[in-house]
Amino acid sequence: MCEKHNFGVNPITCHAWNKDRSQVALSPNNHEVHIYQRTPGGGAGSEWQLIDVLDQHDLRVTGIDWAPNTNRIVTCAADRNAYVWTQTDDGKWKPTLVLLRINRAATCVKWSPKENKFAVGSGARLISVCYFESGNDWWVSKHIKKPLRSTVTCLDWHPNNTLLVAGSADFKLRLYSAYVKEVEESPPPTKWGSKVALGTMLAEFSNSPLGGGWIRGVSFSADGDRVCWVSHDSSICLVDISKGIMVHKLRTEHLPFLNCVWVGPKSIVAAGHGCCPMLYTIDGNGSLQFGCKLDLSVKKESGGLSAMRKFQSLDRQARLEVSDTELETIHQNAITCLRIYEGTNGAATKLSTSGADGRLVIWDLLPLEKSLKGLRIK
């Protein structure tokens, strides 16, 4: 079961939800961020109303994140800027410029779990860890530079609010300390390491000794002991620090993934150029294995449609009525963004995906239990 929503013909670069999921912020592949409000009592067929347009950026928006508790939106773009948006009493959003101090495009942005800071990746081969400086009433940043050798493509925070994992286009995944003494207390040691100085690299993993591909998406598990990532060589990797630093890598036959997220202690969903979210599970040995596709309902219908198309192909006129380029998936183009809609990383029950086809789909994970023969997602 899923809800399908269409927001026009423009690709959706990224999206983010507010706390109660009544509003969504998305970028239609340009310099704007559109905020939509769902009509009360909405469901699969509900309508969305455009209530605001955030147009402070000059170039294409590359990242959006909505802090659920403080209700602040952070955006970054190819114009090398980031803005923190706060809602005023009249419901409008007021931007505050962030001093990123970068000379290349910003590529991704992520609030920390406590929402007192956020990280911005960029093409300048550095990560900007940003926090609010109350004395001057502005957002400032500190840089993590070494040993990055290429564009930072994805980020995620450890649940302890201090550790930060980053994937980049140099085929490497790196784990850093992003401790900022101005806004937080010194954290206790973790299984990943005990050093807390900002920019200290605690771990580094190569996607492949023979090359591999760009790291496109990364995600920490709910307990922070495991991290998974997907790369452009159509692989998905996993490291469980409680069992050592060995990388478990699964090469898939699908098109490259762009995003991944934990939906349970032993369950990961990945999505990307294949237009269909895939569920992967962890077996008793700690290795990854394919679970199922989330597009179960479409798969059942595809058999009848394919037989109909064969019959219609006998008639040239009927053949023209059927699009030969239509995919047998709900998304008709690459899935660009993957978010948890309901639940947490430890027990997610619904996911949302947006794609280059202008669609936003909300997936229900509970029916997948039957297809996995009783293996619980939670």
Side-chain angles (χ1 to χ4, degrees):
M1 297 292 294
C2 64
E3 297 179 23
K4 294 171 281 187
H5 305 279
N6 201 320
F7 289 89
V9 297
N10 291 330
I12 299 177
T13 306
C14 47
H15 75 277
W17 298 92
N18 68 340
K19 186 174 183 178
D20 62 3
R21 303 304 190 253
S22 62
Q23 297 179 3
V24 62
L26 57 87
S27 174
N29 201 39
N30 57 23
H31 69 284
E32 297 177 342
V33 174
H34 294 178
I35 298 181
Y36 288 88
Q37 172 87 41
R38 180 182 283 200
T39 55
S46 63
E47 296 294 331
W48 294 87
Q49 179 184 2
L50 181 64
I51 59 174
D52 209 344
V53 176
L54 314 183
D55 57 358
Q56 197 70 23
H57 287 287
D58 296 326
L59 296 177
R60 186 174 68 93
V61 173
T62 55
I64 304 172
D65 202 16
W66 200 326
N69 298 318
T70 57
N71 196 36
R72 292 182 298 203
I73 300 174
V74 61
T75 60
C76 67
D79 59 3
R80 302 171 296 176
N81 290 325
Y83 290 94
V84 174
W85 303 80
T86 54
Q87 198 168 24
T88 57
D89 295 336
D90 59 357
K92 295 298 181 180
W93 291 89
K94 177 184 177 182
T96 302
L97 180 65
V98 182
L99 302 178
L100 292 180
R101 299 183 291 122
I102 57 177
N103 57 7
R104 295 291 186 274
T107 55
C108 51
V109 62
K110 186 81 171 180
W111 281 107
S112 67
K114 293 183 179 179
E115 303 174 14
N116 56 354
K117 58 184 177 180
F118 59 88
V120 180
S122 69
R125 298 185 298 178
L126 58 83
I127 302 169
S128 298
V129 180
C130 309
Y131 62 97
F132 188 73
E133 192 175 79
S134 56
N136 294 316
D137 194 27
W138 60 12
W139 290 84
V140 296
S141 64
K142 293 185 177 183
H143 288 170
I144 299 175
K145 297 181 179 180
K146 296 180 179 181
L148 293 167
R149 293 292 179 266
S150 190
T151 300
V152 177
T153 55
C154 53
L155 297 165
D156 197 27
W157 287 92
H158 189 278
N160 73 348
N161 203 69
T162 302
L163 302 184
L164 181 70
V165 64
S168 59
D170 60 1
F171 312 157
K172 298 290 182 65
L173 186 87
R174 299 179 176 93
L175 183 72
Y176 294 99
S177 170
Y179 167 68
V180 179
K181 62 182 180 180
E182 286 82 357
V183 296
E184 57 190 335
E185 298 179 355
S186 180
T190 66
K191 296 178 182 179
W192 295 97
S194 57
K195 297 181 179 179
V196 298
L198 179 71
T200 302
M201 189 178 71
L202 302 177
E204 180 182 73
F205 304 100
S206 177
N207 191 43
S208 171
L210 300 178
W214 292 6
I215 311 297
R216 303 308 303 264
V218 63
S219 178
F220 264 118
S221 62
D223 58 6
D225 289 347
R226 287 160 292 175
V227 61
C228 70
W229 66 91
V230 292
S231 55
H232 210 68
D233 62 350
S234 300
S235 67
I236 178 170
C237 298
L238 167 73
V239 171
D240 189 343
I241 193 61
S242 63
K243 299 179 181 179
I245 59 173
M246 184 176 68
V247 178
H248 297 274
K249 183 169 185 175
L250 176 64
R251 292 187 179 273
T252 72
E253 59 183 7
H254 308 294
L255 293 176
F257 297 120
L258 297 176
N259 302 274
C260 63
V261 65
W262 290 86
V263 296
K266 296 184 178 181
S267 305
I268 301 166
V269 171
H273 289 288
C275 308
C276 177
M278 306 284 184
L279 177 69
Y280 290 88
T281 58
I282 303 173
D283 59 20
N285 298 323
S287 301
L288 290 161
Q289 60 182 4
F290 176 73
C292 66
K293 295 182 178 181
L294 267 62
D295 237 339
L296 298 177
S297 60
V298 176
K299 186 176 181 180
K300 293 179 180 178
E301 298 172 0
S302 62
L305 290 176
S306 108
M308 183 183 297
R309 287 176 183 171
K310 289 181 181 179
F311 176 79
Q312 289 175 332
S313 66
L314 298 176
D315 187 347
R316 184 176 183 181
Q317 183 176 359
R319 185 184 181 91
L320 295 176
E321 294 177 359
V322 180
S323 174
D324 293 333
T325 61
E326 184 177 355
L327 301 178
E328 294 179 348
T329 54
I330 294 177
H331 278 290
Q332 295 295 299
N333 209 326
I335 295 174
T336 56
C337 188
L338 176 64
R339 294 276 186 174
I340 291 179
Y341 180 82
E342 188 176 282
T344 63
N345 288 355
T349 56
K350 287 186 179 182
L351 296 176
S352 65
T353 57
S354 60
D357 56 356
R359 294 181 180 179
L360 187 146
V361 181
I362 301 173
W363 305 86
D364 189 357
L365 299 180
L366 294 181
L368 296 181
E369 293 186 21
K370 296 181 180 179
S371 64
L372 291 178
K373 299 180 181 180
L375 177 63
R376 294 191 60 82
I377 303 299
K378 299 190 217 176

